[in-house]
Amino acid sequence: MSLQLKATPAAGSTAQGLDAWFIGLGDDFLGRVPADSLRPGMVEGWRLRWRERELEVGVDADFPYSAARVYLVGFAREQAQPHIEKDGKLCLGSKAVPSDAVRTVQVALAEALQLLTENETRQHDEDFREDFGAYWLTWADRRDLLIEVLPDLGGARKTTLARGVRTEGRVFIFPSKDKAGKFWANLTGNAPKRLKETPLISIDPLPAPGRYPDTAAEVWELVHTRSQGGTDLLARLMANTPMEAFVVLAGIAPSGREHYSGLRIRRPLDGSGYPIKRRAIREGIERTEDPRRTLFERFEIERLPTDRLDAGSTRLPEGVQREMSAAKVVVIGCGALGSGVARMLAQAGVEHLSLVDPEKLGWENIRRHELGGRAVGHAKAEALADSIRAALPMVGFVKGYQMTFAAFAREHHESLRQADLIVSCTGEWAADASVELALRQPGHTGAAVYGWMEAHALAAHAVLVGSHGARLADGFDEDGKFRLPVVAGGKPPPPECGGASTTFGAVELAHAQGLVARLAIDSLRKLETGPVWRSWLADATAFNEAEARIAPDWVAARGDPDDGGGLFSGEWTFP
């Protein structure tokens, strides 16, 4: 009998109405879930029969302001289906209908039956590999130990001997000793005490949940049949018969997404609860057909939840991530604007940053600067580099230089020449002119993004130019005065500006940081090659509060913005 979803509910309380509706389903209704059998977090539940299967509907204490849950009773990994969790919960997108509890249940059940019907015809089987990481997490043997992987440039297509660092509850896996040392020094300030050799084995294709290994023998067979050279690394892992070791299986989803799945390998325990002795576990293996395999198969395994450490892995395509991580960027000016831009670039995946600023942080900076009170009195560039390394320890190279750009250009000429992009956020014409002079020297092929703000942060600009063609100087007169400013008039800055107060804060600054960082990222991705000029304008309320207006020349050249302000983009050209 098929389940009917249009039974008429009886009037009364939420519980009474739902009970009456379920009873109205007739023989398909199997009764209420006993209180002592309710699933965690559920306060009420009902059981149904559908196509010889048993379903369970549960609601929590927030219902009807939360969605109803639907479970497949008796679900096991051997019967794994797409979009169903380990406890049988169906992953549904249905939402609560607060005004109608019965409708909330009907919507959830309708979506559940549709999913189960589609699974019967195998419409979602590809999802096992496309979203492999989520399914591996669902069927992990334990949740108190997490594997965290920093992929190499070869990614999940490359079988390699990685290095692991074990901490309480976490195992960090790195592609090399060098990467492990840098990450750990960034994160803790110290070198890792001990590195574990950890095979990272590329397998193809990724297995469905029913083929996830439960034993070491199944791990060996999976690696043997679906990898190139993976069993050699498993054998190497067993050379010293470790008490504990780790293995990472890696693979590529149909869409190209990379997935990583971690395993813990350990010696079995003896009758007293201790790992059996090395001699005992190796006993007799030399008399077997394949001693390496025999030894490995005597170990026990646990499937562990696995995550990735690399920045930007959920935002940009895999190939773009590798391009970003290889890019070399120099940020000039680590004040309010430049500090935010530098951090955004690191968060976007840029792993090689040189930060240049001659000044120290003052108390007047902290309400709008990426650094806070603890960094006051410290060099901005060096403190910012320390902060980024600690916050994003996977970043390969972030170094601060307490000096002017001109000094950096003299003392670190080769670093400057190798830079893919220079980002200048000084807001000073002399400094920007110095950057442009360096960019035009023979051998420089990179580009530069210049960012600055106008009075009261009512407008911000980002300009991308290359080492040839249009120049930043085209938009300024010989005294460094901008030819087409946005802001006209306005209150004078407070007498103590630069001391106890500033004319703008972090909220106003955020738009400018995003404007400059986005143009820099677009340049690194070759989405923009310049010359490009982007401007952001504040809304009419901000202009009114600052007693300022839009300059007539700007309106004539770029158009009259509406009261909401917003983004303008065009070429860097002037009459």
Side-chain angles (χ1 to χ4, degrees):
M1 180 182 292
S2 62
L3 185 64
Q4 302 298 314
L5 297 179
K6 295 184 179 180
T8 302
S13 69
T14 296
Q16 291 173 338
L18 281 173
D19 283 340
W21 183 80
F22 278 111
I23 291 172
L25 297 176
D27 291 341
D28 289 327
F29 178 51
L30 302 179
R32 266 181 165 268
V33 178
D36 59 357
S37 298
L38 287 167
R39 296 173 185 266
M42 299 296 101
V43 297
E44 290 185 286
W46 299 263
R47 287 180 178 157
L48 311 168
R49 180 171 49 244
W50 181 76
R51 295 187 184 177
E52 306 305 321
R53 299 180 184 179
E54 187 173 328
L55 304 180
E56 188 172 301
V57 179
V59 298
D60 62 18
D62 294 336
F63 185 82
Y65 298 95
S66 62
R69 277 76 157 179
V70 182
Y71 301 84
L72 187 59
V73 178
F75 187 66
R77 183 162 58 87
E78 293 72 22
Q79 305 135 357
Q81 297 181 35
H83 306 296
I84 302 181
E85 298 181 6
K86 188 173 185 177
D87 60 354
K89 178 185 173 183
L90 277 67
C91 300
L92 308 175
S94 59
K95 306 295 183 182
V97 185
S99 61
D100 191 336
V102 171
R103 181 60 183 161
T104 296
V105 170
Q106 288 176 323
V107 170
L109 269 174
E111 189 172 331
L113 300 188
Q114 180 180 352
L115 172 61
L116 291 172
T117 300
E118 291 171 350
N119 281 349
E120 286 182 345
T121 55
R122 308 180 73 87
Q123 294 184 38
H124 299 291
D125 278 7
E126 196 73 359
D127 193 65
F128 281 144
R129 294 183 175 88
E130 188 57 47
D131 205 14
F132 177 81
Y135 289 103
W136 185 267
L137 174 63
T138 292
W139 297 101
D141 292 316
R142 55 187 293 184
R143 299 299 179 96
D144 60 337
L145 184 59
L146 174 66
I147 296 280
E148 298 186 286
V149 180
L150 182 65
D152 198 0
L153 291 179
R157 293 177 173 84
K158 180 181 178 182
T159 293
T160 185
L161 188 63
R163 298 297 188 275
V165 179
R166 175 79 144 90
T167 67
E168 184 65 32
R170 302 168 78 183
V171 183
F172 297 84
I173 307 298
F174 305 99
S176 65
K177 291 181 180 179
D178 181 59
K179 287 284 182 109
K182 287 182 178 179
F183 183 100
W184 213 247
N186 288 342
L187 183 67
T188 69
N190 301 304
K193 292 182 178 179
R194 183 185 177 191
L195 294 175
K196 290 178 173 285
E197 287 191 345
T198 304
L200 191 153
I201 301 171
S202 179
I203 58 174
D204 182 32
L206 292 164
R211 297 294 302 275
Y212 292 173
D214 289 312
T215 66
E218 291 175 353
V219 173
W220 186 281
E221 183 61 23
L222 179 66
V223 170
H224 174 68
T225 57
R226 302 195 186 190
S227 79
Q228 296 291 327
T231 52
D232 291 336
L233 292 185
L234 295 183
R236 173 168 175 162
L237 192 65
M238 296 292 103
N240 295 319
T241 323
M243 293 279 193
E244 173 188 74
F246 298 91
V247 174
V248 176
L249 305 178
I252 308 295
S255 67
R257 293 174 61 197
E258 296 185 356
H259 291 289
Y260 298 87
S261 51
L263 298 162
R264 181 188 181 218
I265 314 294
R266 64 182 179 88
R267 291 190 205 170
L269 304 180
D270 61 19
S272 301
Y274 294 99
I276 63 176
K277 300 296 185 181
R278 181 176 184 273
R279 180 180 299 175
I281 198 171
R282 297 184 68 92
E283 185 176 358
I285 65 170
E286 298 302 331
R287 295 190 297 272
T288 64
E289 181 179 348
D290 188 345
R292 305 185 314 165
R293 180 170 185 162
T294 301
L295 175 60
F296 185 83
E297 291 180 350
R298 290 179 177 180
F299 279 69
E300 295 181 348
I301 71 159
E302 294 170 319
R303 295 185 304 274
L304 301 180
T306 308
D307 203 354
R308 291 178 61 163
L309 291 168
D310 50 328
S313 61
T314 60
R315 176 63 180 87
L316 299 173
E318 297 287 348
V320 175
Q321 289 179 43
R322 288 190 284 272
E323 292 177 2
M324 295 286 285
S325 67
K328 295 181 179 180
V329 178
V330 179
V331 178
I332 313 302
C334 298
L337 178 59
S339 63
V341 170
R343 189 176 294 275
M344 287 181 182
L345 292 178
Q347 290 171 328
V350 176
E351 294 194 16
H352 195 291
L353 284 166
S354 298
L355 312 178
V356 182
D357 194 302
E359 298 181 351
K360 295 181 178 181
L361 188 71
W363 285 108
E364 73 278 4
N365 300 133
I366 65 171
R367 287 193 181 274
R368 59 184 183 179
H369 200 280
E370 290 296 309
L371 300 172
R374 292 183 178 181
V376 169
H378 296 270
K380 292 179 181 179
E382 295 173 355
L384 181 61
D386 291 343
S387 176
I388 291 174
R389 286 195 301 268
L392 299 166
M394 66 287 298
V395 174
F397 177 92
V398 183
K399 186 173 182 180
Y401 300 85
Q402 187 183 7
M403 58 180 63
T404 65
F405 174 74
F408 179 81
R410 290 192 302 270
E411 298 179 22
H412 302 278
H413 173 73
E414 189 62 20
S415 296
L416 191 62
R417 189 184 66 80
Q418 294 176 355
D420 298 286
L421 183 68
I422 301 171
V423 182
S424 181
C425 298
T426 66
E428 295 182 1
W429 170 243
D432 286 345
S434 179
V435 172
E436 184 153 85
L437 176 64
L439 189 66
R440 297 285 168 154
Q441 297 303 306
H444 288 264
T445 58
V449 170
Y450 300 88
W452 71 95
M453 294 177 291
E454 295 192 32
H456 303 279
L458 294 174
H461 303 277
V463 177
L464 168 66
V465 296
S467 56
H468 301 87
R471 302 176 55 179
L472 179 71
D474 296 342
F476 295 82
D477 64 20
E478 61 183 10
D479 297 319
K481 183 178 180 181
F482 186 32
R483 296 183 185 278
L484 201 59
V486 174
V487 182
K491 297 178 181 178
E496 73 279 12
C497 184
S501 65
T502 60
T503 59
F504 63 90
V507 174
E508 298 88 345
L509 178 66
H511 294 285
Q513 292 175 335
L515 180 79
V516 178
R518 180 56 186 266
L519 185 55
I521 291 171
D522 287 350
S523 172
L524 291 172
R525 295 184 61 186
K526 304 297 188 293
L527 299 178
E528 294 283 10
T529 57
V532 175
W533 176 17
R534 295 179 185 173
S535 303
W536 175 85
L537 277 63
D539 58 36
T541 300
F543 271 86
N544 291 336
E545 289 179 346
E547 298 177 5
R549 65 186 188 281
I550 307 293
D553 288 347
W554 169 271
V555 174
R558 308 296 294 276
D560 192 0
D562 60 29
D563 288 347
L567 182 68
F568 290 77
S569 183
E571 294 185 0
W572 183 246
T573 57
F574 297 85

